[in-house]
Amino acid sequence: MGSSYKSAAFLIESRLADAARGDADACFDLGIAYSSGAGGLEIDMIEAHKWFNLSALSGSSRAAECRAEIAEDMTAREIAEAQRQARAWLNATQRRAA
């Protein structure tokens, strides 16, 4: 269990820095990790949707497809929360870049 936690933490840390710089691939990787439980992460469809949404906003058509696919299994409230979190991420990272 400890090894899975370390693996998941490393995955998140290594991709978050790239995602903060607007790297669509990093956002996509985070979406995959949260939607599949890769690296020992808990599956979290709200987080997955958020990251796929951020990747899609950067031009990833793969992310847009994944976002639409997981949205089919989410409630409107969950999707709204994922969108709120994506906006908050954008606002926070844009303020840091300015």
Side-chain angles (χ1 to χ4, degrees):
M1 177 92 174
S3 179
S4 291
Y5 177 77
K6 288 178 185 175
S7 176
F10 177 76
L11 171 69
I12 297 303
E13 288 175 27
S14 67
R15 299 314 278 157
L16 275 177
D18 293 334
R21 289 188 290 275
D23 183 329
D25 290 332
C27 294
F28 181 81
D29 292 346
L30 288 164
I32 291 292
Y34 279 107
S35 66
S36 67
L41 281 176
E42 292 283 326
I43 292 175
D44 184 334
M45 296 314 236
I46 292 172
E47 276 293 307
H49 190 284
K50 173 182 101 176
W51 291 113
F52 286 138
N53 196 25
L54 291 166
S55 182
L57 287 171
S58 294
S60 172
S61 59
R62 292 182 310 162
E65 292 168 10
C66 290
R67 179 186 59 197
E69 186 176 315
I70 67 169
E72 292 177 8
D73 296 326
M74 296 172 70
T75 66
R77 200 169 279 191
E78 289 170 329
I79 293 168
E81 177 60 20
Q83 291 171 334
R84 186 196 65 73
Q85 289 182 19
R87 283 190 302 275
W89 171 266
L90 286 173
N91 287 334
T93 56
Q94 288 172 350
R95 265 188 253 126
R96 274 187 249 141

